[in-house]
Amino acid sequence: MKYSISSKIRLNSGVAIPMLGLGTWRAEGKECTQAILWAFEAGYRHIDTAAYYGNEEAVGKAIQDSGLDREEIFVTTKVWNDDHGYDNTIKACNNSLKRLNLDYIDLYLIHWPVSGRRIETWKALEKLLNDGKARTIGVSNFMTSHLEELLPNVEILPAINQIEFNPYQYQKGLHQYCLMKYIQLEAFAPIVRARKFDDPKLLELCKIYDKKPAQILLRWAIQHDIIVIPKSVHKDRIIENSMIFDFEISDDDMTILDGFNEDYSILMWNPKKDPQFK
Ligand SMILES: NC(=O)c1ccc[n+]([C@@H]2O[C@H](COP(=O)([O-])OP(=O)(O)OC[C@H]3O[C@@H](n4cnc5c(N)ncnc54)[C@H](OP(=O)(O)O)[C@@H]3O)[C@@H](O)[C@H]2O)c1
């Protein structure tokens, strides 16, 4: 069987990231802390947050309450759009560290490719890495054009690009470009926010594998060697989303899932078209 719940992928920075993480967008306060503790119990060791989510304190509390060693846990957070620019980004990272109650972040990302400011922001991420505030650095919502602009200007390559990625938003071209540049893809909205769970094509595959829609969608990404960060605040769903390492989707069914693409997006902003990301 390819991969297990403790599988990690080694990034171009040498840092290893767990393939399964817990998303936390719209998980707040005690609910967020509890969800993370359930996730740790289920075997997750990777948490995805962002300054914008307003839940970094709750994430920090879960880490403290878990009793796990810091090195066992992988924490991602992100610099928000209003904090772009060199000095602002350094400040934003220090503020995230304070809220998380951590000495370092495992992965620090540029949340969105804000027009005109993203290269300066990247320089700050390089500084944060060199200062030991971040173990590895990357980007999010960067399309090929954004990467083509950024890469000639970096001293340290982005290790990750976190993007919307699932069979209904199969960004194959961007995936291939990132593979070529040794940038690992990480899938957000990997289960399409549960919005496609009644698609008969998907339900057909659920029958074949005796698995839930979320599990088929997550396993599809895993078999494309992509990191997944499904979000849930419900214990049963957190467990369900982790039970994706005991089956394998056949090559033929992977091809069927690849064909689900309809450029469907859960996002408010389109990073491919929105002028603020030009
Ligand atoms: N970089 C970015 O710009 C960006 C953008 C979006 C998201 N993200 C990150 O990626 C994470 C995941 O993406 P997402 O939260 O947008 O979408 P998602 O993980 O595809 O879906 C989460 C939604 O599905 C529900 N759900 C979870 N597991 C389920 C299951 N097994 N059965 C039925 N429903 C289930 C959750 O509800 P309950 O919580 O009520 O269970 C929640 O409403 C985020 O939480 C965030 O950390 C990053």
Side-chain angles (χ1 to χ4, degrees), residues 11-13 15-18 46-50 56 70 73-79 93 96 100 102 104-110 122 125 129 133-140 157-162 184-186 227 229:
L11 302 172
N12 63 20
S13 57
V15 169
I17 180 171
H46 165 188
I47 309 301
D48 183 82
T49 180
E56 288 175 313
R70 172 68 186 92
I73 303 168
F74 192 100
V75 182
T76 301
T77 192
K78 315 180 188 91
V79 56
C93 180
S96 282
L100 287 159
L102 296 177
Y104 65 88
I105 292 159
D106 294 278
L107 172 62
Y108 199 48
L109 299 177
I110 300 183
W122 184 257
L125 262 62
L129 183 111
K133 302 267 172 96
R135 284 176 70 220
T136 194
I137 52 179
V139 295
S140 176
L157 275 175
I160 290 262
N161 189 12
Q162 185 185 109
Q184 172 66 44
L185 276 196
E186 181 173 17
I227 295 153
I229 47 169

Side-chain angles (χ1 to χ4, degrees), residues 23-25 48 53 78 111-112 140-141 162 188-194 197 214 229-234 237 240-241 266-267:
T24 65
W25 166 233
D48 183 82
Y53 302 170
K78 315 180 188 91
H111 205 148
W112 285 89
S140 176
N141 296 301
Q162 185 185 109
F188 73 67
I191 60 169
V192 209
R193 294 206 176 143
F197 283 11
I229 47 169
K231 174 261 178 184
S232 180
V233 292
H234 294 98
R237 292 176 175 177
E240 178 180 306
N241 296 345
I266 54 93
L267 286 171

Side-chain angles (χ1 to χ4, degrees), residues 14-15 131 244 269:
V15 169
D131 288 351
I244 53 173
W269 297 324

Side-chain angles (χ1 to χ4, degrees), residues 34-252:
Q34 178 61 75
I36 295 169
L37 290 172
W38 282 328
F40 287 149
E41 243 176 75
Y44 295 61
R45 288 293 180 270
H46 165 188
I47 309 301
D48 183 82
T49 180
Y52 184 66
Y53 302 170
N55 60 12
E56 288 175 313
E57 280 105 344
V59 172
K61 178 158 173 32
I63 293 167
Q64 283 218 310
D65 290 359
S66 73
L68 291 166
D69 288 341
R70 172 68 186 92
E71 311 81 68
E72 280 188 65
I73 303 168
F74 192 100
V75 182
T76 301
T77 192
K78 315 180 188 91
V79 56
W80 184 240
N81 302 354
D82 299 340
D83 289 324
H84 271 247
Y86 191 89
D87 292 338
N88 286 347
T89 298
I90 304 281
K91 239 187 265 163
C93 180
N94 285 327
N95 287 335
S96 282
L97 283 168
K98 262 189 230 141
R99 287 189 294 263
L100 287 159
N101 196 16
L102 296 177
D103 298 329
Y104 65 88
I105 292 159
D106 294 278
L107 172 62
Y108 199 48
L109 299 177
I110 300 183
H111 205 148
W112 285 89
V114 174
S115 187
R117 308 191 70 192
R118 51 198 177 234
I119 293 176
E120 203 193 326
T121 301
W122 184 257
K123 296 283 165 210
L125 262 62
E126 290 178 336
K127 165 86 172 138
L128 290 163
L129 183 111
N130 287 329
D131 288 351
K133 302 267 172 96
R135 284 176 70 220
T136 194
I137 52 179
V139 295
S140 176
N141 296 301
F142 272 54
M143 301 295 105
T144 304
S145 58
H146 302 124
L147 290 168
E148 279 172 342
E149 174 209 61
L150 179 70
L151 295 186
N153 291 291
V154 304
E155 274 171 37
I156 300 167
L157 275 175
I160 290 262
N161 189 12
Q162 185 185 109
I163 58 162
E164 186 177 15
F165 195 87
N166 57 59
Y168 301 89
Q169 175 62 248
Y170 180 21
Q171 304 199 53
K172 194 172 177 180
L174 180 55
H175 182 205
Q176 278 166 352
Y177 180 82
C178 286
L179 276 174
M180 213 167 62
K181 300 291 179 188
Y182 304 101
I183 298 168
Q184 172 66 44
L185 276 196
E186 181 173 17
F188 73 67
I191 60 169
V192 209
R193 294 206 176 143
R195 291 185 194 166
K196 296 285 183 181
F197 283 11
D198 56 359
D199 177 359
K201 303 190 296 299
L202 179 58
L203 291 173
E204 190 56 38
L205 291 167
C206 292
K207 244 192 268 162
I208 295 172
Y209 292 94
D210 193 19
K211 285 285 175 185
K212 294 283 176 48
Q215 295 171 320
I216 297 287
L217 296 175
L218 292 168
R219 183 72 208 179
W220 171 84
I222 292 281
Q223 285 185 214
H224 276 301
D225 305 314
I226 285 166
I227 295 153
V228 289
I229 47 169
K231 174 261 178 184
S232 180
V233 292
H234 294 98
K235 187 175 185 181
D236 54 344
R237 292 176 175 177
I238 291 167
I239 294 170
E240 178 180 306
N241 296 345
S242 73
M243 307 287 278
I244 53 173
F245 299 102
D246 59 352
F247 76 113
E248 192 113 31
I249 300 174
S250 71
D251 290 349
D252 285 353

